Amino acid sequence: ITARLWIYKLYTFNQCSNYSKGLVTGELCQPLCLSEEIHFQRCLGHGVKLHVLKAAWREGTVVLKTPKAHKLFARVQVGDVVTKQQFIEEANFSIVNDLTKKYSPGIQKVLEDIVAGCDVHADGVLHDHELVICWQLLMTSEYVRFALLQGRSGIPDLYGNCGLMYAVQFVNPKPFLGYKTVDADKRSWKYRVQLSLALLDMIESVEETPYGTFHICDMQEANFGIVETDGKLVAKAIDIDTGFFKPQVQSAESDQQHAKHCRVGHLECNMMGCFQEQMLEHSCCMVRCDTPTASCKKEFVMSSNNLQSVCQVLFKQYASWHPALLRDPPESIKLQLETLLDQCANPDGTTAHLPKDIVEELRHLLQSKS
């Protein structure tokens, strides 16, 4: 047995062992444990929060993720028995408080689906192990974000789970900005326009959700992937754990971060997604540092909307070593495009919503010269 296959067997053993004992269930259990339709390809990483594997399934490729253990919520301990409704009420409060800061009936539906999958015996209550598994899934913020954002073109599909292991659509995070990392034909203006239009579609898909705009804090090309559907390029946000619903960002801005102290700069006022010095300030969600008072202010260094972030980080060239996606446009639109990109990257005032007029003007201009 190879080392890689041993890793796969190790990560799947617990889920399949619990499945055989009748302790867990889920759409993924049968193909993972019985028919063995899911074939391991390689290990993608061992993160702080997740173990990540790449596998083949249904004539395609999926990513298998297993979260590491979370603590149970205080009101329910191992050995307790609660009804599904009691669990949903507790989990609903937790998700609204920790993730969305805004209630929506959609949360209730997502929770009902997740909890129904935890109820192995379909008896309306969660027993011991069912309770532990279900809570750990709901405490995996990425899993819940996937569930809340399903059906949006800019978000990878969530295929289901077996116990704690869940599967999502594999989206290849191929770099599309670097000169040396893509094929010559993919550096063409026409191809780069297609990528840009795909990114515009992606940010539009997460603009209006029942929980507010989903703000992508870490707008780096490594956090996006491109798939081709019916001959059209579709951009998807891969690392959605660095994204946050707008009410959550606003809550942190007003309630928490300004109480922190800083001495050097904005990175000390990190809110989310900005843990390394090399990360771009305008691609992250940080509160501004007021150096004279050495305190974090109630003002974000993040862009006011996703379009501004895309324009700043991906469309425009902000440094000599960074090739912009919309570099070297045709002369006939060069001046108009530069003006439009400056406008969307540095808007007058602050708007929390996507400026649809700029999006449409930019889309029309690119399509006219693609």
Side-chain angles (χ1 to χ4, degrees):
I1 185 169
T2 66
R4 290 183 175 181
L5 184 57
W6 181 84
I7 291 173
Y8 172 70
K9 293 291 185 182
L10 176 66
Y11 287 159
T12 58
F13 174 77
N14 285 338
Q15 312 310 322
C16 292
S17 175
N18 287 330
Y19 177 60
S20 66
K21 296 173 184 176
L23 298 176
V24 302
T25 187
E27 304 94 323
L28 212 61
C29 291
Q30 199 275 339
L32 183 71
C33 306
L34 296 182
S35 61
E36 297 186 353
E37 299 169 32
I38 299 177
H39 303 287
F40 169 76
Q41 291 181 332
R42 71 187 186 94
C43 178
L44 295 178
H46 312 275
V48 176
K49 298 179 181 179
L50 295 168
H51 301 299
V52 187
L53 306 169
K54 182 181 176 184
W57 185 33
R58 293 176 176 172
E59 300 182 352
T61 307
V62 297
V63 177
L64 302 176
K65 301 189 176 188
T66 307
K68 296 184 179 179
H70 297 278
K71 294 180 180 178
L72 286 177
F73 54 124
R75 299 183 200 179
V76 179
Q77 300 298 329
V78 176
D80 286 351
V81 176
V82 300
T83 67
K84 287 195 293 187
Q85 188 55 40
Q86 288 174 322
F87 188 90
I88 288 173
E89 289 174 1
E90 184 72 35
N92 205 328
F93 173 80
S94 177
I95 288 177
V96 172
N97 188 59
D98 296 337
L99 280 183
T100 64
K101 296 295 181 182
K102 178 181 179 180
Y103 175 75
S104 167
I107 298 177
Q108 180 81 8
K109 177 63 170 63
V110 167
L111 286 175
E112 288 175 354
D113 290 343
I114 293 174
V115 173
C118 298
D119 186 10
V120 178
H121 304 291
D123 57 2
V125 296
L126 299 179
H127 304 264
D128 198 5
H129 199 81
E130 295 172 327
L131 184 61
V132 174
I133 294 294
C134 211
W135 184 252
Q136 290 193 20
L137 270 179
L138 290 169
M139 286 296 96
T140 304
S141 58
E142 183 191 68
Y143 177 80
V144 177
R145 285 187 176 96
F146 272 126
L148 293 175
L149 293 169
Q150 278 306 284
R152 299 180 180 276
S153 63
I155 301 297
D157 295 330
L158 176 64
Y159 295 131
N161 69 291
C162 179
L164 287 179
M165 180 175 280
Y166 59 96
V168 297
Q169 178 185 14
F170 174 75
V171 182
N172 197 346
K174 284 187 176 180
F176 47 76
L177 290 178
Y179 287 99
K180 298 181 180 180
T181 53
V182 292
D183 298 331
D185 61 324
K186 293 185 178 181
R187 293 201 302 265
S188 70
W189 170 253
K190 182 177 181 179
Y191 186 81
R192 287 185 281 116
V193 164
Q194 292 175 341
L195 287 174
S196 301
L197 292 172
L199 287 168
L200 289 178
D201 291 339
M202 181 201 70
I203 61 176
E204 279 193 309
S205 76
V206 296
E207 172 64 18
E208 296 181 3
T209 83
Y211 328 104
T213 298
F214 187 68
H215 190 97
I216 302 170
C217 288
D218 191 6
M219 194 69 73
Q220 300 185 65
E221 66 170 313
N223 289 335
F224 304 100
I226 304 293
V227 297
E228 189 168 334
T229 304
D230 298 326
K232 179 183 178 181
L233 298 183
V234 179
K236 291 181 181 284
I238 298 173
D239 189 4
I240 67 169
D241 214 23
T242 62
F244 299 86
F245 294 105
K246 200 71 177 183
Q248 184 186 12
V249 174
Q250 292 168 334
S251 175
E253 181 178 18
S254 61
D255 298 336
Q256 300 171 9
Q257 297 297 314
H258 64 279
K260 294 176 65 176
H261 296 286
C262 59
R263 292 174 297 175
V264 180
H266 306 316
L267 283 173
E268 293 179 281
C269 299
N270 168 60
M271 173 186 165
M272 44 190 85
C274 307
F275 297 102
Q276 301 176 17
E277 290 289 339
Q278 65 266 32
M279 297 180 78
L280 304 170
E281 287 189 351
H282 51 256
S283 72
C284 303
C285 289
M286 293 177 293
V287 179
R288 192 172 296 278
C289 176
D290 182 27
T291 50
T293 62
S295 62
C296 299
K297 299 173 64 177
K298 292 185 181 182
E299 181 184 357
F300 263 73
V301 184
M302 67 177 222
S303 310
S304 57
N305 58 70
N306 286 322
L307 177 64
Q308 185 181 354
S309 297
V310 167
C311 286
Q312 288 177 335
V313 182
L314 300 177
F315 288 172
K316 285 176 59 67
Q317 184 164 347
Y318 58 82
S320 59
W321 50 266
H322 180 274
L325 193 55
L326 292 177
R327 62 186 181 270
D328 304 324
E331 285 295 327
S332 59
I333 65 167
K334 185 175 181 179
L335 182 58
Q336 186 180 357
L337 180 61
E338 287 178 355
T339 302
L340 196 56
L341 291 180
D342 284 340
Q343 186 179 353
C344 79
N346 305 287
D348 294 329
T350 300
T351 173
H353 300 288
L354 199 67
K356 294 184 178 180
D357 55 335
I358 297 181
V359 173
E360 289 308 312
E361 189 175 351
L362 183 57
R363 179 181 279 115
H364 177 74
L365 181 64
L366 293 176
Q367 288 174 335
S368 69
K369 292 296 179 178
S370 62

